[in-house]
Amino acid sequence: MAAHLKKRVYEEFSKVVQIPHEEAPAKKLRLSKPSKSAALHIDLCKATNSTDALQYLLQFARKPVETESVEGVVRILLEHYYKETDNSVRLKIASLLGLLSKTPGFSPDGIVNDAINTLCNEKSHQVLAQLMDTLLVIGTQLPESPAVRQRLIEVACKHLNDMYFGVRNKCLQLLGCLGMVDCPLAKEEGLGAPSGGLRDVQSIISDYFGDQDPRVRTAALKAMLQLHERGMKIQENIYEQACRLLSDDYEQVRSAAVQMVWVLSQLYPESIVPIPSSNEEIRLVDDAFGKISHMVSDSSWMVRVQATKTLGSMQQVSPHFLEQTLDKKLMSDLRRKRTAHERAKDLFASGEFSSGRKWADDAPKEKLDSNTVNLIASGACGAFVHGLEDELFEVRIAAVEALCKLARSSPSFAEKCLDFLVDMFNDEIEEVRLQSIHVLREISTHITLREDQLDTVLAVLEDSSRDIREALHELICYTNVSTKECIQLALLELLKNLNKYPTDRNSVWKCLKFLGSRHPTLVLPLVPELLSTHPYFDTPEPDMDDPAYIAVLVLVFNAAKSCHTMPALFSDHTFRHYAYLRDSLSHLVPPLRLPGRRLDLVDSSRGSGSVESAQLFLQQSLNRVSTIQNLEAPGAQDLLDFTIRDLCRLGELQTELAGAADFCATYLRCQLLLIKALQERLWNMAVPLSLKQNVTATAAAQQILEESYKLEFLYSGLDSRQVATVHHVRLQAKALQLALLARSRLGLDILINHCEKFLQEVESFQRLFVAELSLMQDSFVDQLLDVMPRLSSSKPAELVKILQSTLRQSSLLQLTLPQQIHRASATIIEPTGESDNPLRFTSGLVVALDIDATLEHVQDPQNTVRVQVLYPDGQSHVIHPKPADFRKPGPDRHRLITQVYLSHSAWTEPSQIEVRLLLAYSSSPTSSLCSPAKQGWSDSIDGLPPPEATVEGIIPFSKPVKVYIMPKPARR
């Protein structure tokens, strides 16, 4: 007993009491970046010679500078500038001053005086030129400071007489960028300018049109053009000086002079200018046109290209001047002839009379001095002929484009230049031929092709280039021909093209469709011959699998739409073939009225429903769905089922609303999947008993995620509210995945990690769509944000319960009616998948499969479109086409023409592979938080959340096409 008491006493006295230790508050460290000005000052002080200083400055130029450090850096640079004796270092400092003046948030008005003061004592011309360039940068950064601008202009005028051409160039450039027409200036004496007096900036600049250095003359012309670009009207008296510069020895001067003459011709087109060495006068625009036409024969190819392009933009030229560019000989209406009365008057004034000894010695004489009476220079005659015959294809392309611009505004000129454009179809350069075809297509409304011209045009169908042939097919679609022989010739050549290049089938059919609809009266007398009909005898029925016969029927049926007497010439099998083609090729064969027959296949159902009524139905469907209070409301599933079915049918009937209807149906399908996954019996069941239901709900959550990516990337034209709705659906799917993960019991650490990621996504959603949150009342994300503080401090199990109840009780987010939403789609034209003949190749080698597809409403197809090849053994190859494989025939339409290389091991028998097009996407919500513009040169990322991992995927958006292939074993 005593031992027991002794033990208790020892226990009481030996009890250890731990006093809680108060932790000292952690000291906060403030990380400050070293001053860039101090670092620069230390580096420059370390420099022992000018070479070291220049190296330090070059290293400094590669580093960013914060806005608050710019002023200190500028002071250090200026201080070192005054002490430096080496010209190259001072030149680099002057360059750095200009770069620092462009720093966002920095106002360079404080360094204007210092920059101007450095000019006074500077002796190096190169440094002076760089300082003038720095002043130009400062002036452009301070557009709202007239005092600074006026001072800079005075400094430029003061240094215009510098001996170095670079200084004069920069001064003229500064005058062009900052000078004002209504502000008189006092120019220093020099270069023949009058001393003293006030002059405007244009007269000062024009003094340097005659400078001895061609680079200064070029700078003066560009400065005057800069004044024009800034909205100031150039004086008309500049025109004569600019015309003299067209004959300058330096090509850059002539090029700038061409631009100057063109500008003045647009400013004063109706002004009257005299013709040198005569008493005649013509309009300024006509005179400028003649002078620029003369430059098409310039020795420099760059001047020729610019002059030719400039001619195309002169729309106010008189017709006879325009037509003279197509004839190398001077036309009579551009040669001023003196009347007999004027010649008699001159003879009387000279005191000479007819002696009568010579027969008709007083008759009117046609001998005239062409150099003194021509209204246009003889060198300008046939300017476009010279341009089209130029040795460089760049000049020829420019001439073709200029002809197109002028011909579109003048039908008579379009007819006259038709022969020249048709001759360009035989050019040796493919790009020239293609451009000529496009040009003729644009002016096709003004012209009608003769048979000889059409023969030249159709000869291009033999070209091996697919782009050339398809461009020519499009040209024939919109071309008018004159006789039935032209129709017969065009059909014959197109059938030859179809036989030689079977891949042109769809393009040839489309071409004949338009050719028949534009010339029904010319096709009518050819129908018996084309269809091989006879008035007394039955002829054999042609094969409907023959593409050439289908081409003939497409031509005839489209002509019959406007010619009601044509169906009487059809035989019985032609009517059957019409019914077949009307179903299989409805986009090529129009609906026809065939009286007295059952085949009265007028398509009246398509136009019955108007777009307005379809839009009203779409809005009513969305309003009906918006009555659902929450996802567990009774009857919600049935209502969504019916609405989805109606929207899918609406998209099939109204192609204009197909994108909007499909978008709404996909969104409602996501909500329906979410309702089914949140059924009460699934979540009330014990975890071991709900494995099958868990699999179903997990598949539903994954499908909702995939559909949400389709909603975001497969549809174009979404506004910010609709994008927020799509991200809201994605957030619901991720919440469902998190709830299912909690039931799987994978581990607490994994669950905690997923919970943290989900909370980051909610915060990211709030930052991205802060403007749209007010329109999401009682939605899932709105209720989540209300309990966000509670979620952040909750345990994973409690967080999952809150998410589950919030998902059930949240209301269905109403979808606004999309206005201009289009669904991206693709149609594979080649291969057709109809051939039973396998594509045979040796195993281990490759075979090329031609792919021809049409893409609709695809954004940036060069980076997003992929071609997938799926082999029977499950192998899948994804190919990224080259950017050159894409063409853009129209707005929101692209054409993909590429080759896919197939390879596989040997097979025992042929099998099918699947070819389809995929749309690749990359989703990173936090990327939109970053502004595209750089916020200064700051590299701080404080306060930004950790970036979310980018989600990449692919979406099939075309129907698969099956192709038979047969890899054969290699022969030994």
Side-chain angles (χ1 to χ4, degrees):
M1 184 67 184
H4 180 66
L5 290 174
K6 187 177 180 180
K7 183 178 179 182
R8 289 187 60 185
V9 170
Y10 278 125
E11 285 180 355
E12 290 178 3
F13 282 100
S14 64
K15 187 175 182 180
V16 179
V17 178
Q18 184 176 1
I19 300 174
H21 176 70
E22 294 183 0
E23 295 182 0
K27 293 182 179 180
K28 295 183 178 180
L29 296 179
R30 181 181 179 186
L31 299 177
S32 60
K33 300 177 182 177
S35 172
K36 293 293 177 66
S37 58
L40 178 64
H41 179 67
I42 294 172
D43 288 340
L44 292 177
C45 289
K46 288 191 300 183
T48 56
N49 51 35
S50 58
T51 305
D52 293 342
L54 186 60
Q55 289 298 324
Y56 287 129
L57 290 173
L58 290 172
Q59 293 174 8
F60 175 78
R62 300 188 189 102
K63 301 176 183 177
V65 180
E66 297 82 3
T67 304
E68 58 271 12
S69 303
V70 172
E71 190 169 355
V73 171
V74 168
R75 295 304 165 196
I76 297 296
L77 289 173
L78 287 172
E79 181 182 348
H80 191 79
Y81 179 89
Y82 292 124
K83 296 187 297 184
E84 183 60 48
T85 57
D86 188 82
N87 291 341
S88 60
V89 177
R90 295 204 309 276
L91 181 68
K92 186 59 184 176
I93 292 176
S95 173
L96 285 175
L97 290 176
L99 289 175
L100 291 170
S101 301
K102 298 179 182 179
T103 305
F106 174 71
S107 179
D109 52 355
I111 64 173
V112 173
N113 294 331
D114 297 308
I116 293 177
N117 291 334
T118 55
L119 289 168
C120 301
N121 301 323
E122 185 56 57
K123 303 300 181 182
S124 171
H125 297 292
Q126 287 85 356
V127 180
L128 269 176
Q130 185 59 55
L131 286 172
M132 293 302 303
D133 188 66
T134 300
L135 290 178
L136 173 61
V137 172
I138 294 174
T140 54
Q141 296 295 319
L142 299 171
E144 299 179 357
S145 180
V148 173
R149 175 182 303 197
Q150 185 66 21
R151 190 174 177 191
L152 294 178
I153 292 174
E154 291 173 359
V155 171
C157 292
K158 181 179 178 181
H159 290 82
L160 270 175
N161 300 328
D162 195 275
M163 296 173 57
Y164 183 55
F165 77 93
V167 177
R168 301 203 297 274
N169 281 359
K170 293 298 179 182
C171 291
L172 290 169
Q173 187 178 354
L174 192 146
L175 288 177
C177 293
L178 303 179
M180 302 295 293
V181 175
D182 55 354
C183 186
L185 302 171
K187 181 181 176 297
E188 296 294 325
E189 185 177 358
L191 286 177
S195 60
L198 298 179
R199 307 178 61 197
D200 65 330
V201 66
Q202 290 192 30
S203 61
I204 293 176
I205 294 176
S206 63
D207 287 342
Y208 291 86
F209 286 174
D211 193 273
Q212 61 181 356
D213 195 297
R215 290 164 289 192
V216 179
R217 298 198 293 272
T218 305
L221 285 168
K222 290 183 177 180
M224 194 72 75
L225 291 170
Q226 184 69 28
L227 290 177
H228 170 70
E229 291 176 4
R230 291 171 51 211
M232 302 176 191
K233 193 170 185 180
I234 300 178
Q235 299 168 2
E236 187 179 352
N237 55 11
I238 304 293
Y239 177 73
E240 186 178 352
Q241 302 178 54
C243 290
R244 285 199 297 268
L245 291 176
L246 289 174
S247 56
D248 196 275
D249 295 335
Y250 190 57
E251 64 175 325
Q252 295 293 338
V253 179
R254 299 198 300 273
S255 177
V258 168
Q259 255 183 305
M260 192 74 242
V261 170
W262 176 82
V263 167
L264 290 166
S265 71
Q266 303 303 305
L267 292 175
Y268 309 99
E270 299 299 330
S271 297
I272 303 300
V273 295
I275 297 177
S277 305
S278 72
N279 297 325
E280 299 298 326
E281 295 178 339
I282 58 173
R283 296 193 309 155
L284 189 145
V285 66
D286 293 337
D287 186 62
F289 185 80
K291 287 180 166 56
I292 296 177
S293 298
H294 185 69
M295 302 305 293
V296 176
S297 304
D298 193 85
S299 58
S300 169
W301 72 271
M302 290 190 296
V303 177
R304 297 202 298 272
V305 170
Q306 184 176 8
T308 308
K309 289 181 177 179
T310 305
L311 289 178
S313 58
M314 303 182 73
Q315 306 287 341
Q316 302 174 348
V317 185
S318 302
H320 47 277
F321 279 88
L322 206 58
E323 294 164 5
Q324 179 62 68
T325 57
L326 300 176
D327 194 347
K328 292 183 180 180
K329 294 181 180 179
L330 188 63
M331 297 181 181
S332 59
D333 54 355
L334 291 180
R335 182 182 291 138
R336 176 68 171 89
K337 298 179 182 180
R338 298 164 65 195
T339 62
H341 179 73
E342 291 173 342
R343 291 195 299 274
K345 183 178 179 181
D346 291 345
L347 188 63
F348 178 77
S350 63
E352 297 180 5
F353 294 93
S354 173
S355 62
R357 294 182 180 180
K358 294 180 64 178
W359 175 255
D361 58 354
D362 58 347
K365 297 179 180 180
E366 294 296 330
K367 185 178 180 180
L368 299 170
D369 187 358
S370 60
N371 292 327
T372 59
V373 295
N374 290 349
L375 300 185
I376 185 173
S378 58
C381 299
F384 282 125
V385 179
H386 290 299
L388 295 174
E389 295 174 351
D390 198 274
E391 61 181 353
L392 292 175
F393 79 93
E394 291 92 346
V395 183
R396 301 200 295 274
I397 289 179
V400 168
E401 292 173 350
L403 277 175
C404 172
K405 293 179 182 178
L406 294 172
R408 278 186 301 191
S409 58
S410 175
S412 61
F413 184 70
E415 294 179 2
K416 290 180 172 62
C417 69
L418 178 59
D419 286 326
F420 298 95
L421 289 175
V422 170
D423 286 341
M424 297 306 294
F425 285 14
N426 299 320
D427 195 272
E428 59 184 359
I429 303 297
E430 178 181 341
E431 190 176 349
V432 179
R433 299 198 299 273
L434 189 60
Q435 189 63 31
S436 303
I437 295 172
H438 289 322
V439 164
L440 203 59
R441 155 75 181 87
E442 292 185 28
I443 64 173
S444 58
T445 55
H446 301 314
I447 58 175
T448 300
L449 289 179
R450 302 188 309 269
E451 189 172 353
D452 59 322
Q453 294 170 337
L454 183 64
D455 194 14
T456 306
V457 169
L458 293 174
V460 186
L461 289 174
E462 300 289 332
D463 200 296
S464 60
S465 171
R466 183 170 188 163
D467 293 334
I468 294 285
R469 297 196 306 272
E470 291 190 352
L472 192 67
H473 294 158
E474 187 178 359
L475 168 64
I476 298 175
C477 288
Y478 300 98
T479 300
N480 298 317
V481 296
S482 53
T483 62
K484 67 174 185 177
E485 286 76 14
C486 293
I487 296 288
Q488 201 166 12
L489 177 63
L491 178 62
L492 182 62
E493 294 297 329
L494 287 171
L495 294 180
K496 287 182 182 178
N497 176 25
L498 187 60
N499 185 41
K500 186 174 182 180
Y501 302 103
T503 55
D504 291 353
R505 180 180 61 181
N506 290 286
S507 182
V508 169
W509 287 351
K510 178 186 173 184
C511 172
L512 289 170
K513 169 190 174 182
F514 285 93
L515 190 65
S517 60
R518 292 178 72 90
H519 307 90
T521 56
L522 298 180
V523 175
L524 179 61
L526 299 174
V527 169
E529 182 181 354
L530 296 178
L531 298 181
S532 301
T533 58
H534 194 275
Y536 307 118
F537 304 107
D538 285 337
T539 54
E541 182 175 349
D543 184 12
M544 278 302 296
D545 292 332
D546 184 10
Y549 177 62
I550 295 178
V552 173
L553 290 182
V554 168
L555 172 73
V556 172
F557 290 151
N558 281 277
K561 185 178 180 181
S562 304
C563 184
H564 302 297
T565 59
M566 195 177 295
L569 303 175
F570 295 169
S571 57
D572 292 337
H573 61 76
T574 307
F575 291 107
R576 293 196 303 273
H577 295 169
Y578 168 78
Y580 171 74
L581 292 178
R582 182 70 187 124
D583 290 335
S584 59
L585 299 174
S586 57
H587 62 288
L588 294 174
V589 178
L592 298 178
R593 290 191 176 275
L594 305 175
R597 292 184 176 270
R598 296 179 182 178
L599 299 173
D600 191 5
L601 301 177
V602 178
D603 192 358
S604 59
S605 62
R606 290 180 180 261
S608 58
S610 64
V611 179
E612 291 79 8
S613 60
Q615 266 185 334
L616 181 61
F617 177 78
L618 180 59
Q619 183 63 59
Q620 290 174 350
S621 301
L622 294 179
N623 293 338
R624 189 165 57 245
V625 172
S626 65
T627 58
I628 300 176
Q629 297 298 326
N630 54 60
L631 297 182
E632 288 193 335
Q637 289 193 33
D638 295 336
L639 179 58
L640 287 176
D641 272 327
F642 293 143
T643 307
I644 292 170
R645 183 196 62 188
D646 293 343
L647 292 179
C648 292
R649 182 58 180 159
L650 177 65
E652 296 173 0
L653 295 176
Q654 284 292 343
T655 55
E656 295 86 353
L657 295 177
D662 291 343
F663 180 84
C664 296
T666 306
Y667 170 73
L668 296 180
R669 194 176 296 113
C670 292
Q671 297 297 328
L672 181 60
L673 289 170
L674 192 61
I675 289 176
K676 291 180 179 179
L678 291 173
Q679 290 178 355
E680 187 73 27
R681 57 187 178 85
L682 168 65
W683 301 93
N684 291 338
M685 193 180 301
V687 173
L689 301 177
S690 62
L691 294 178
K692 184 177 180 181
Q693 285 80 0
N694 271 351
V695 172
T696 306
T698 304
Q702 185 62 32
Q703 187 177 352
I704 294 172
L705 270 182
E706 293 174 357
E707 295 290 340
S708 70
Y709 287 117
K710 286 184 181 179
L711 288 172
E712 184 176 0
F713 297 103
L714 202 58
Y715 296 87
S716 58
L718 302 180
D719 57 22
S720 58
R721 186 174 177 183
Q722 290 155 357
V723 174
T725 305
V726 172
H727 281 259
H728 182 267
V729 172
R730 192 174 303 157
L731 204 61
Q732 287 178 308
K734 290 181 178 180
L736 178 61
Q737 283 184 332
L738 185 59
L740 292 169
L741 182 67
R743 296 171 63 87
S744 63
R745 296 185 176 180
L746 291 177
L748 185 60
D749 293 338
I750 298 177
L751 184 59
I752 291 175
N753 188 18
H754 281 80
C755 288
E756 290 176 354
K757 286 184 178 179
F758 180 78
L759 292 178
Q760 288 179 3
E761 289 172 357
V762 174
E763 293 175 357
S764 174
F765 183 92
Q766 184 181 8
R767 283 190 299 270
L768 280 170
F769 305 108
V770 62
E772 286 77 20
L773 286 176
S774 59
L775 305 174
M776 296 183 175
Q777 299 295 332
D778 298 329
S779 64
F780 171 69
V781 71
D782 185 51
Q783 296 184 18
L784 273 187
L785 293 176
D786 290 341
V787 295
M788 195 65 184
R790 181 183 169 191
L791 288 176
S792 302
S793 58
S794 299
K795 295 181 179 180
E798 185 180 356
L799 185 144
V800 169
K801 288 182 180 179
I802 295 174
L803 288 180
Q804 184 180 338
S805 61
T806 308
L807 274 174
R808 288 179 176 177
Q809 297 171 6
S810 60
S811 63
L812 181 66
L813 189 59
Q814 184 175 1
L815 187 66
T816 57
L817 179 62
Q819 295 297 328
Q820 295 294 331
I821 289 185
H822 301 284
R823 178 189 170 100
S825 61
T827 305
I828 299 178
I829 302 173
E830 292 289 340
T832 58
E834 299 172 353
S835 176
D836 295 332
N837 296 325
L839 192 60
R840 301 179 185 273
F841 61 97
T842 304
S843 63
L845 301 180
V846 295
V847 64
L849 179 66
D850 292 325
I851 303 291
D852 184 3
T854 304
L855 313 177
E856 300 278 350
H857 305 290
V858 178
Q859 306 294 323
D860 193 17
Q862 289 86 354
N863 295 323
T864 57
V865 174
R866 307 285 189 271
V867 181
Q868 184 189 44
V869 179
L870 188 62
Y871 292 93
D873 59 355
Q875 292 187 34
S876 176
H877 294 169
V878 177
I879 299 99
H880 188 181
K882 297 179 294 185
D885 293 338
F886 293 90
R887 280 87 167 165
K888 190 174 183 181
D892 296 327
R893 292 187 65 231
H894 291 85
R895 181 88 175 273
L896 172 62
I897 301 176
T898 186
Q899 281 188 333
V900 172
Y901 294 101
L902 309 176
S903 181
H904 209 279
S905 56
W907 296 353
T908 57
E909 60 182 15
S911 186
Q912 289 180 333
I913 61 169
E914 286 190 357
V915 180
R916 71 178 69 192
L917 296 183
L918 307 176
L919 193 68
Y921 65 85
S922 177
S923 173
S924 178
T926 54
S927 62
S928 57
L929 291 172
C930 303
S931 174
K934 292 183 179 179
Q935 301 178 1
W937 277 343
S938 175
D939 52 356
S940 173
I941 56 171
D942 299 336
L944 282 180
E948 181 187 344
T950 301
V951 178
E952 296 183 351
I954 51 177
I955 304 172
F957 73 118
S958 75
K959 293 181 179 178
V961 175
K962 295 183 178 181
V963 181
Y964 264 111
I965 67 170
M966 176 58 188
K968 301 179 296 182
R971 294 181 179 179
R972 299 297 180 185

